[in-house]
Amino acid sequence: MSKKIVLFTLQTFSTTGGIQKMTRTLGYSLYQIAKASSWKFELWSAYDKPDDLMSPYLPATNFKGFNSNKVTFVLKAINKLVRPDVIILSHINLAIIGLLIKLLNPKCKVWLIAHGIEIWRPLSFIKKRILKNCDKVICVSSYTKQQIIKWHQVNEGICIVVNNAIDPFMPLPATFVKPQKLIDRYQLNGSHPIIFTLTRMASTEKYKGYEQVIKTISKLKDQFPDIKYVLSGKYDELERIRINEMIADHHVADQIILTGFINDTELSEHFLLADLFVLPSKKEGFGIVFIEALACGLPVICGNADGSTDAIRNGELGKAIDPDDLTGLYNGITEYLTTPLIAAKRKQLQEQCLLYFNETDYRNKLQLLLNQ
């Protein structure tokens, strides 16, 4: 039986972040399912322009970008001519569309993707209503599922855990050699143990944990005099000032390299450059960056207080530590840096990660849910 599926998103192709990456893979997987099943599929984006579409993910005929015209976005979504069988809301902020479509087309199945902190908090009336009226809530981690049930008493039976997957178009290394161009750019040499963090750095968010790494570097430099900490990601001006103050206070200016935003085209190379990825966050819904690091053969230390533990398979693929325990963080980093990271180990990590977080398995899980 033919189905019509519409994935409603806020922003998918015109910016890069964990949710955007997850949504691109979701859109690609749904398009492939629809094509194989002779179903209809469209991805609608409220903020993207039509020409923001990245063509590898789906054809232009399956994409509608509304360029921030929210009124048109909502009106076209509830048009009686659209009449989907399944709609998938990529974010709780799209709740009003789900409620209106459910009101006008009660037979339509409404799914919501639940990521993390956007839903682990008190919600508005409309957002609470969509949680009560959804047919499925797709949770990116077991922790997110637990938090939704705890905060909003959602029926556990509709909450399905489907972990995120590696973007099928992310270039992954076949060999594990540190890229010379980055060694030259950051003025490194072969003796530097390199810790890497990639995250959004915002003055309004104090839960990512890079502060803890900066503090720990001040102690690690005694044991590892050549240690370097490459801290990457977009930051606002207030956070830039705060980070530089911390660097000065802890006397680690020679150890820390602030790169700013890294383009996706150089992401894999930065994972190859490093010996360890560290992000002891407290509020990750899942943490796509962890599986990206692992898929490039880079060991991972994450926090144990959020959805990060799903990304490392509860310790099978990496180490989870208490984000507030500086001694535990110091010991964890020391353990990794005193064990040489050989190419065979990196290859093994990559293979293990791709065994669990590949797009094919992700697509098959979605197919099973749609067939229900």
Side-chain angles (χ1 to χ4, degrees):
M1 182 178 176
S2 180
K3 293 181 189 286
K4 180 170 185 179
I5 304 163
V6 181
L7 171 60
F8 290 104
T9 75
L10 294 171
Q11 197 168 29
T12 303
F13 300 109
S14 56
T15 190
T16 292
I19 291 178
Q20 289 81 13
K21 288 182 178 182
M22 177 268 173
T23 307
R24 288 174 207 161
T25 301
L26 174 61
Y28 173 79
S29 298
L30 290 170
Y31 170 69
Q32 295 299 324
I33 290 169
K35 186 169 67 170
S37 305
S38 297
W39 296 346
K40 295 178 181 178
F41 169 71
E42 291 179 353
L43 190 160
W44 292 28
S45 174
Y47 294 105
D48 291 332
K49 301 186 297 294
D51 58 4
D52 287 325
L53 173 67
M54 297 175 182
S55 58
Y57 294 91
L58 66 159
T61 52
N62 296 78
F63 176 68
K64 287 183 170 63
F66 289 83
N67 193 20
S68 302
N69 192 331
K70 291 182 278 187
V71 173
T72 303
F73 180 65
V74 173
L75 290 176
K76 290 201 171 183
I78 63 174
N79 190 311
K80 288 184 179 181
L81 296 176
V82 176
R83 288 287 176 180
D85 300 291
V86 181
I87 67 163
I88 303 174
L89 309 175
S90 71
H91 197 284
I92 189 71
N93 286 352
L94 293 160
I96 187 64
I97 287 178
L99 287 175
L100 289 172
I101 289 177
K102 196 70 170 174
L103 178 66
L104 296 169
N105 182 11
K107 291 183 179 180
C108 179
K109 302 297 182 185
V110 176
W111 298 8
L112 172 70
I113 307 295
H115 302 279
I117 57 171
E118 87 284 355
I119 209 162
W120 315 336
R121 58 179 64 169
L123 297 175
S124 67
F125 173 78
I126 288 175
K127 291 178 181 179
K128 285 190 285 189
R129 288 289 296 173
I130 196 61
L131 284 172
K132 299 298 183 184
N133 285 273
C134 273
D135 295 281
K136 284 185 173 63
V137 180
I138 308 299
C139 307
V140 300
S141 66
S142 299
Y143 183 82
T144 289
K145 176 179 176 178
Q146 294 164 9
Q147 291 299 304
I148 291 172
I149 294 168
K150 172 186 170 182
W151 276 91
H152 308 296
Q153 295 75 53
V154 177
N155 177 5
E156 186 174 354
I158 69 167
C159 295
I160 314 294
V161 176
V162 180
N163 291 146
N164 294 331
I166 292 290
D167 185 321
F169 301 105
M170 179 181 178
L172 299 179
T175 57
F176 300 94
V177 178
K178 296 194 175 192
Q180 188 62 44
K181 75 172 187 179
L182 295 185
I183 291 173
D184 295 342
R185 181 187 301 174
Y186 300 131
Q187 300 180 351
L188 303 169
N189 60 50
S191 67
H192 290 128
I194 300 169
I195 299 171
F196 180 42
T197 294
L198 173 66
T199 187
R200 179 179 64 251
M201 291 175 271
S203 55
T204 55
E205 299 174 358
K206 300 293 194 298
Y207 57 81
K208 292 292 187 177
Y210 45 84
E211 303 98 326
Q212 304 292 66
V213 185
I214 291 172
K215 294 173 188 175
T216 305
I217 292 292
S218 68
K219 298 180 175 60
L220 285 164
K221 69 180 183 178
D222 295 330
Q223 184 174 353
F224 305 97
D226 294 324
I227 195 169
K228 296 292 182 182
Y229 179 33
V230 179
L231 177 55
S232 299
K234 188 177 179 179
Y235 45 75
D236 58 42
E237 182 61 17
L238 286 176
E239 193 62 3
R240 184 192 67 79
I241 293 169
R242 190 176 79 94
I243 290 170
N244 281 316
E245 287 174 350
M246 282 191 292
I247 289 171
D249 290 344
H250 293 282
H251 309 288
V252 288
D254 291 338
Q255 286 74 39
I256 296 180
I257 300 168
L258 281 173
T259 72
F261 175 77
I262 290 178
N263 194 288
D264 278 353
T265 57
E266 289 194 324
L267 182 56
S268 295
E269 292 173 308
H270 279 79
F271 288 131
L272 277 177
L273 176 70
D275 300 290
L276 180 64
F277 184 86
V278 184
L279 184 64
S281 179
K282 294 181 180 179
K283 295 182 181 178
E284 296 295 322
F286 174 80
I288 282 181
V289 69
F290 296 119
I291 62 173
E292 290 179 330
L294 291 164
C296 293
L298 183 61
V300 161
I301 293 178
C302 65
N304 66 359
D306 57 16
S308 306
T309 52
D310 270 32
I312 63 163
R313 300 272 303 176
N314 296 310
E316 180 182 348
L317 300 181
K319 188 176 186 66
I321 56 101
D322 179 345
D324 295 319
D325 180 6
L326 289 177
T327 300
L329 180 58
Y330 175 91
N331 290 338
I333 293 174
T334 300
E335 181 183 340
Y336 278 109
L337 293 187
T338 51
T339 305
L341 182 59
I342 60 176
K345 174 61 175 175
R346 296 194 74 141
K347 183 66 175 175
Q348 181 186 21
L349 271 176
Q350 182 186 66
E351 289 174 349
Q352 286 179 295
C353 174
L354 295 176
L355 178 66
Y356 295 119
F357 300 112
N358 63 84
E359 186 275 331
T360 300
D361 286 348
Y362 180 73
R363 189 193 317 173
N364 289 339
K365 291 171 187 174
L366 293 172
Q367 176 86 66
L368 286 172
L369 293 174
L370 287 164
N371 287 343
Q372 294 172 6

